[in-house]
Amino acid sequence: MRIDRQPRFLCLASSLKSRAFLKSFAAACCSGAISVGVRYSDEELGYDIEPSLPDMAILSAFITFSSLVAAFRTSNALNRYTLGGGFVHKMIAGWFDATSTLLAFARASDRPVDEVENFQQVLVRLISVLSALCMSELQSIDEELTGRSLRFRFEVLELEDLDVGSCGIIRSTTHKVEAVFQMVQALVVDAHRTGVLSIAPPLLTRSFQELGLALTTFHEAKMIACEPLPCAYGMITFIILAVQALLVPFMVA
């Protein structure tokens, strides 16, 4: 799997085009326009707005409170981001560790070389498909898995070499990650039964543990990626920030 890294200036440009930044910029522009209008009405048109405003101490206390709410929301978002990134790296490390261990175990096999190589090739391709499906699901990308070919958003190692039955299962099932994960486990069990993996069962158990840990880590990352903040919490934060945006122009003016 290949993940392209963009230069810093491209990352900055893409962040400036994000929906959250555009909404924040629009709210700031509206707040600034209201502040200019209030200032103009007070000085040029002679409207005395100050007596109708709440006490400045109350406004300052509310602005401080709303700033703390925004800071808490930002720190919560940063924590989710760093936690999710750690889960992704841990998941990839788990796939690599399990695959590397199984490939090393296959070197001790007494079976013909073509059987051992066939197991190794199929294993690497299934892990590649599994990793690509995990990353796509974390990004909420629906892969184009209809038709005769399987096309993925992320690079997959020689997918066309997999058998038609496996490709059909991946194409038709709803839970694609779990289906491919089960294929990997079945492949390992079959290889141990036929003698391709002649390693002792207690040592082989380590590979199953690594595979299970990687799948668990994927679901933990998916929980962060797919589960939004509670609706009530988001609504309260939005209301507080909206009231702040309405009050700040009067304080500035």
Side-chain angles (χ1 to χ4, degrees), residues 190-216:
D190 291 341
H192 184 264
R193 178 176 55 84
T194 57
V196 175
L197 288 176
S198 57
I199 204 71
L203 295 178
L204 188 60
T205 303
R206 181 177 181 273
S207 300
F208 284 101
Q209 291 175 347
E210 287 295 334
L211 288 172
L213 180 61
L215 184 65
T216 302

Side-chain angles (χ1 to χ4, degrees), residues 129-146:
V129 172
L130 182 60
S131 181
L133 287 173
C134 288
M135 298 299 293
S136 298
E137 193 163 334
L138 289 177
Q139 291 189 354
S140 299
I141 298 176
D142 293 329
E143 300 289 3
E144 299 179 9
L145 303 181
T146 59

Side-chain angles (χ1 to χ4, degrees), residues 95 126-127 130 133-134 175-187 207-216:
W95 300 140
L126 286 179
I127 291 295
L130 182 60
L133 287 173
C134 288
H175 304 283
K176 293 178 172 54
V177 172
E178 289 76 9
V180 178
F181 179 81
Q182 184 62 31
M183 290 182 188
V184 173
Q185 288 192 318
L187 177 67
S207 300
F208 284 101
Q209 291 175 347
E210 287 295 334
L211 288 172
L213 180 61
L215 184 65
T216 302

Side-chain angles (χ1 to χ4, degrees), residues 23-251:
K23 288 183 178 180
S24 301
F25 183 75
C29 290
C30 293
S31 181
I34 295 175
S35 178
V36 172
V38 171
R39 186 75 174 182
Y40 179 78
S41 300
D42 189 27
E43 293 187 353
E44 300 296 334
L45 301 181
Y47 294 106
D48 192 8
I49 303 177
E50 185 174 357
S52 60
L53 295 178
D55 187 77
M56 292 302 297
I58 299 177
L59 291 177
S60 299
F62 180 79
I63 295 299
T64 302
F65 171 73
S66 60
S67 300
L68 292 176
V69 171
F72 176 76
R73 175 71 178 269
T74 303
S75 108
N76 191 8
L78 180 60
N79 183 42
R80 287 166 61 93
Y81 174 79
T82 54
L83 194 61
F87 284 147
V88 170
H89 283 279
K90 186 178 179 180
M91 177 190 69
I92 295 175
W95 300 140
F96 176 81
D97 187 19
T99 306
S100 176
T101 303
L102 291 172
L103 293 178
F105 288 163
R107 292 173 58 89
S109 176
D110 296 330
R111 302 296 296 174
V113 177
D114 56 344
E115 292 186 17
V116 176
E117 289 185 353
N118 180 71
F119 164 75
Q120 293 175 334
Q121 297 290 340
V122 174
L123 174 65
V124 170
R125 283 161 176 76
L126 286 179
I127 291 295
S128 178
V129 172
L130 182 60
S131 181
L133 287 173
C134 288
M135 298 299 293
S136 298
E137 193 163 334
L138 289 177
Q139 291 189 354
S140 299
I141 298 176
D142 293 329
E143 300 289 3
E144 299 179 9
L145 303 181
T146 59
R148 295 184 178 180
S149 62
L150 299 177
R151 291 178 292 178
F152 290 86
R153 167 65 175 81
F154 294 90
E155 183 178 1
V156 177
L157 295 177
E158 300 179 1
L159 180 63
E160 62 276 4
D161 291 339
L162 287 177
D163 61 283
V164 179
S166 298
C167 293
I169 293 175
I170 298 173
R171 184 185 300 110
S172 60
T173 185
T174 303
H175 304 283
K176 293 178 172 54
V177 172
E178 289 76 9
V180 178
F181 179 81
Q182 184 62 31
M183 290 182 188
V184 173
Q185 288 192 318
L187 177 67
V188 174
V189 172
D190 291 341
H192 184 264
R193 178 176 55 84
T194 57
V196 175
L197 288 176
S198 57
I199 204 71
L203 295 178
L204 188 60
T205 303
R206 181 177 181 273
S207 300
F208 284 101
Q209 291 175 347
E210 287 295 334
L211 288 172
L213 180 61
L215 184 65
T216 302
T217 305
F218 160 71
H219 282 286
E220 290 176 346
K222 185 179 178 181
M223 178 187 65
I224 296 178
C226 300
E227 293 295 332
L229 291 174
C231 181
Y233 175 72
M235 185 62 65
I236 292 174
T237 305
F238 174 78
I239 293 174
I240 291 176
L241 294 179
V243 174
Q244 180 187 16
L246 293 176
L247 293 180
V248 164
F250 295 96
M251 294 185 62

